Amino acid sequence: MTDTHAPHDAAEFAPHQHAGGPGVEPLSEERHPTHHSDHDPAHHNSPEEVKKEVRKYLIVFGCLALLTAITVWIASFHLPTWQAVTLALVVATFKGFLVAAFFMHLISERKLIYAVLVMTVFFFGMMIWGPWHHHYDAEEEWPGYDKAHNAAAAAPASSHESGH
Amino acid sequence: MDGHAHAADAHAHEIEIPYTVHARPDTGLYNGKLGIWLFLASEVMLFGALFSTLILLRTSAPTWPHGYKLLNVPLATVNTFVLIASSVTVVLAWAYLRLGELKKAKIYLALTLLCGLGFMVIKTIEYSTKFQHHIGPHTNNFYATYFVMTGLHGLHVVGGMVVFAYLLLTANKWYAEKRDQFTNRVEVTGLYWHFVDLVWIFLFPTLYLL
């Protein structure tokens, strides 16, 4: 993370920093002595810390691959719809958590980002909850709704197309 | 007088937009990072609206086909692995930039781009098979949601690929001149790319496996 240090002058970006190669020093804490400020405790640029992160990313990748295989394996049983939906969404949510928490670093992010995401999750939840709510209300309000709908769907196509 | 004016003009061109690299004291974030998160929040609502539509159509329909009977699950599974792998390569690229190893970072950026390309090739195979059988968004509600959701997701993949190609092409110059800024750009592009991966993680079981 390179947003973690206090502003320093433009000389730091001078062209002496050649692209790549062994001569280029990492964005080390020595180069940014204010690195331990409260800007972002999640990311350090010392080689040891970055290498730890790399190992963490590879472990998360392994977990995601395994969970993908499990998702496909579970689906092969062709479970009843609600069981299949629940299991698939539980596994997908866990995979999503891994990506968001570790690859997107949400496990240790700034408060402002959490504030943005809390609002987003609330409105997203409303959008997902709405259709189910609407459907069940319709059933309660018009008990014959589903029966009539099914009958219409089962009617011969020709009766719909006779006018064409 | 003229000399002063020229000097002032030249100086004006040197003024940089603040907080493109360093964190604002009040937000604790550089602007690019806050910007990408606000953008991703809007993207959640965009894809959320489509998932909401899918739920409404599916729960209201008297019958709804199983995705595994109509769509190519093995190809989609491969695509899932490809996209997950690309998420890893982009964080590795960012990690190596922080270690000061541009060459390795460029290799991982190129691998990310290749994964994106592989994803789109597989998606094209899937689409073309459907089109050959005269199946499209017009066929029924299932295919309408399938094509709209995977199509919009595919456009996001292409958008990410364009940015990765740009980062790769400008890497040497940008890294030499503004190393921190380039590293941050890779980070925010990575955040976008992970979001694209996240959307697919939910699209895959919802459309293909249920």
Side-chain angles (χ1 to χ4, degrees), chain A residues 115-129:
Chain A
V116 169
L117 289 181
V118 163
M119 280 200 298
T120 309
V121 167
F122 172 75
F123 287 112
F124 175 78
M126 292 291 283
M127 276 204 297
I128 298 300
W129 174 76

Side-chain angles (χ1 to χ4, degrees), chain A residues 45-65:
Chain A
N45 291 317
S46 71
E48 294 76 22
E49 290 292 335
V50 176
K51 280 170 187 168
K52 262 188 205 171
E53 278 185 37
V54 167
R55 277 195 293 276
K56 185 174 70 185
Y57 295 145
L58 293 176
I59 290 169
V60 171
F61 171 62
C63 291
L64 289 170

Side-chain angles (χ1 to χ4, degrees), chain B residues 189-210:
Chain B
T189 312
L191 286 172
Y192 167 81
W193 193 253
H194 300 314
F195 173 78
V196 173
D197 184 18
L198 199 57
V199 171
W200 182 257
I201 281 173
F202 284 94
L203 276 182
F204 172 56
T206 309
L207 291 175
Y208 289 83
L209 301 180
L210 297 176

